[in-house]
Amino acid sequence: MSLTRDFFIALSKNQLLNNGAKKWGLKLGASKVVAGTDINSMMKSVKELNANGIGATIDNLGEFVYSKEEALEAKASILETLEAIQQHGVTAHMSIKLTQVGLDVDYKFCLENMREIVAAAANYAIFINIDMEDYSHLQQTLDILHALLEDYDNVGTVIQSYLYRSEKDLENLQNVRLRLVKGAYKELSEVSYQSKQDIDMNYLKLIKLRLQQPAFTSIATHDHHIIDAVKKFAKENSIPRDRFEFQMLYGFRSDMQKELAEEGYAFTTYVPFGQDWYGYYMRRLAERPQNINLALKSLVSK
């Protein structure tokens, strides 16, 4: 299992394959977990979710950005998506990777791009979630978050339970809206838990700590054992349902997503779209190797 995970994570970092994937279109099963390559197809999916009482956090996919021109193009696409959210009146916010808007190009350049994005989102009362990437980008991500929080309150980020430092980061972000996840990258044992059991234990620990803090929390997991434990903890500790939500990825456990929304829990689906789907899809295969069946079935049907 770990070898399979490592294999797909390595594939997700291959820029040559990423470039080729843009020409393939949403093949290899990716159309099951990516909501199209353009705004119109994505909006159709978001409206279907909204009709079932489910919100969306939209990811305009983009990776391997190493020039200012590419970052500016990505920023323009994100601003266009924000306008579409406003115009269509959907229940949605956005999730953004800092590398997409220039973090690997220049820190100050990235920060200015994010200031423009967050300011535009604030005008529409839209929340911006800064996705957490691999460990090498973690501290810069938090630094940019704190810089943005000096002027805006519609921005937050992600805490990954497989990192040793996450409990301390959680304490430093008590008043900031956060998403809690297990983590989707391959990290060294010096900085992260390696076993599923340790990661799961720390994840549940962080969730319980966080739910007793004041700010809104998104609990992103497909693990029904974790979800049941959260329900029980919230009930036993009289934590109101408007203080947290569950999140899952688009295309995964759709029946459970609807069930949780029908039970009265706030629910948001992570909706990725765009031409740059390859890296995202490879990480989904790494997390859930059974999804390889999607790719194999897609290839056979071509």
Side-chain angles (χ1 to χ4, degrees):
M1 184 73 76
S2 62
L3 287 175
T4 303
R5 182 174 187 273
D6 292 351
F7 173 71
F8 281 104
I9 288 178
L11 287 181
S12 76
K13 297 177 180 179
N14 189 300
Q15 188 171 357
L16 183 63
L17 290 176
N18 181 74
N19 292 337
K22 294 178 184 178
K23 301 175 184 178
W24 303 335
L26 288 176
K27 297 178 181 176
L28 303 178
S31 61
K32 305 289 187 182
V33 298
V34 177
T37 57
D38 56 46
I39 287 178
N40 288 335
S41 56
M42 176 271 292
M43 275 296 166
K44 182 180 178 182
S45 297
V46 170
K47 289 177 180 178
E48 290 173 356
L49 290 169
N50 285 180
N52 287 301
I54 296 172
T57 180
I58 299 168
D59 180 2
N60 192 339
L61 294 168
E63 302 191 41
F64 305 105
V65 174
Y66 299 113
S67 72
K68 287 190 174 183
E69 291 76 17
E70 291 172 316
L72 291 173
E73 184 178 334
K75 180 180 70 173
S77 295
I78 290 166
L79 292 172
E80 183 182 4
T81 304
L82 286 172
E83 291 179 9
I85 292 172
Q86 172 72 8
Q87 291 170 0
H88 285 264
V90 293
T91 302
H93 63 272
M94 288 201 71
S95 291
I96 298 170
K97 288 180 173 59
L98 293 185
T99 56
Q100 185 180 8
V101 290
L103 185 58
D104 287 334
V105 179
D106 179 78
Y107 177 90
K108 291 183 179 179
F109 170 72
C110 177
L111 176 56
E112 289 309 307
N113 284 336
M114 284 302 299
R115 286 191 191 281
E116 185 176 347
I117 290 167
V118 174
N123 287 335
Y124 297 141
I126 295 173
F127 175 70
I128 296 294
N129 189 87
I130 300 175
D131 275 348
M132 193 59 72
E133 301 180 65
D134 62 15
Y135 189 79
S136 67
H137 295 98
L138 189 153
Q139 191 55 53
Q140 285 183 311
T141 299
L142 294 179
D143 292 344
I144 285 179
L145 171 66
H146 286 296
L148 293 169
L149 287 169
E150 292 177 5
D151 299 305
Y152 303 99
D153 61 4
N154 64 317
V155 60
T157 192
V158 178
I159 296 296
Q160 302 170 111
S161 73
Y162 65 1
L163 298 178
Y164 300 141
R165 61 173 284 175
S166 290
E167 184 173 347
K168 183 178 180 181
D169 289 334
L170 207 65
E171 288 298 315
N172 293 332
L173 295 166
Q174 290 194 37
N175 296 307
V176 180
R177 177 172 172 172
L178 297 175
R179 177 195 299 148
L180 303 188
V181 304
K182 293 183 184 180
Y185 294 87
K186 174 68 175 177
E187 304 294 357
L188 298 175
S189 59
E190 286 80 5
V191 300
S192 71
Y193 297 103
Q194 299 296 302
S195 75
K196 182 182 184 301
Q197 181 179 6
D198 288 341
I199 294 168
D200 287 357
M201 286 178 60
N202 199 48
Y203 187 44
L204 195 53
K205 175 185 178 182
L206 295 181
I207 291 171
K208 291 178 178 180
L209 287 172
R210 175 65 184 185
L211 288 179
Q212 297 175 83
Q213 295 174 354
F216 188 79
T217 304
S218 299
I219 300 165
T221 182
H222 304 106
D223 188 333
H224 60 277
H225 298 295
I226 296 287
I227 291 169
D228 289 343
V230 171
K231 288 180 179 180
K232 181 179 179 182
F233 181 81
K235 183 177 182 180
E236 291 175 348
N237 291 273
S238 301
I239 296 167
R241 292 189 181 184
D242 62 2
R243 288 262 307 282
F244 69 96
E245 69 177 6
F246 292 109
Q247 287 191 8
M248 290 186 190
L249 300 172
Y250 178 80
F252 293 85
R253 310 204 74 166
S254 298
D255 290 343
M256 181 178 284
Q257 294 190 26
K258 292 179 183 178
E259 288 172 8
L260 287 166
E262 290 169 357
E263 288 174 20
Y265 290 98
F267 198 95
T268 292
T269 299
Y270 189 99
V271 180
F273 83 102
Q275 297 285 346
D276 245 335
W277 54 269
Y278 170 80
Y280 172 86
Y281 183 49
M282 288 301 108
R283 287 193 294 277
R284 300 295 77 79
L285 291 180
E287 289 174 336
R288 296 171 61 82
Q290 58 265 47
N291 293 325
I292 296 170
N293 290 332
L294 292 176
L296 293 177
K297 288 179 181 177
S298 181
L299 281 173
V300 170
S301 65
K302 297 303 178 184

